[in-house]
Amino acid sequence: MTSQEIYPTSYGFRIERTAKIMKQVIQRQFNTLNFDLTVDQWVLLDSLHQKDGQNQNELAEKTFKDAPTVTRIIDLLCKKELTERRSDPSDRRRFKIYLTPIGKEKIKQVLPVVLDLRKQGIQGLSREEYDTLIRILDTIFNNFA
């Protein structure tokens, strides 16, 4: 018996499909509320909100984006005055990225909307089902990592 016969449905497709619709719904809400932000920009802002002062490599690693993409997004966030680059005191060739006061205000504006959308996404799941979902997704991730 092949694995295809045991597990006939593609879980990868379902994970990707779910991730895409989540991104689309969040982006639509950002546009409706005139946040002037993309989901990818939000992901970096949220990462900085959790730990300000990361370098670009740390941000790329934490957000699963490649370095050129992170650089491009940071350039846009700096242009919008949401983040700023500061020289790394331990290595002047590197920069650390920090939220500006405007960026911190943007977090306060956007985070409640994102949290509400996350709640919408898990509506109808019990706490036990949610915990199982997280455990399963982490297991799949770790199997590939």
Side-chain angles (χ1 to χ4, degrees):
M1 190 174 248
T2 67
S3 63
Q4 195 65 19
E5 292 168 325
I6 297 169
Y7 305 111
T9 327
S10 169
Y11 67 86
F13 169 77
R14 288 172 189 243
I15 291 170
E16 183 178 358
R17 175 183 73 169
T18 302
K20 281 184 178 180
I21 197 164
M22 288 171 62
K23 189 172 180 177
Q24 289 169 356
V25 167
I26 292 169
Q27 188 61 62
R28 202 173 309 125
Q29 190 69 8
F30 283 7
N31 295 345
T32 298
L33 296 171
N34 296 313
F35 284 162
D36 187 30
L37 206 60
T38 66
V39 173
D40 289 330
Q41 291 168 0
W42 167 252
V43 168
L44 289 187
L45 287 177
D46 187 46
S47 185
L48 290 169
H49 174 65
Q50 293 172 36
K51 182 184 177 219
D52 210 7
Q54 297 178 66
N55 66 44
Q56 290 182 208
N57 290 336
E58 290 171 317
L59 280 168
E61 191 175 302
K62 283 192 176 174
T63 61
F64 295 92
K65 298 186 183 307
D66 60 52
T69 299
V70 168
T71 300
R72 184 180 49 79
I73 294 171
I74 291 169
D75 288 345
L76 290 167
L77 292 173
C78 287
K79 202 175 279 190
K80 292 178 180 186
E81 299 181 353
L82 299 173
T83 61
E84 62 185 4
R85 288 181 173 96
R86 296 184 200 161
S87 293
D88 185 339
S90 63
D91 183 352
R92 295 217 175 258
R93 296 168 296 172
R94 292 181 160 230
F95 292 93
K96 292 194 175 220
I97 313 303
Y98 290 88
L99 291 169
T100 64
I102 295 170
K104 290 176 183 176
E105 283 302 312
K106 183 65 81 172
I107 295 284
K108 287 181 186 175
Q109 179 186 29
V110 176
L111 185 58
V113 172
V114 171
L115 293 176
D116 283 345
L117 289 170
R118 287 179 187 167
K119 285 179 190 172
Q120 177 185 332
I122 61 168
Q123 199 171 23
L125 293 180
S126 69
R127 181 63 200 208
E128 183 180 330
E129 289 169 325
Y130 175 79
D131 290 342
T132 299
L133 171 66
I134 296 303
R135 183 184 53 74
I136 290 168
L137 291 172
D138 286 345
T139 299
I140 292 169
F141 177 85
N142 291 327
N143 286 342
F144 285 110

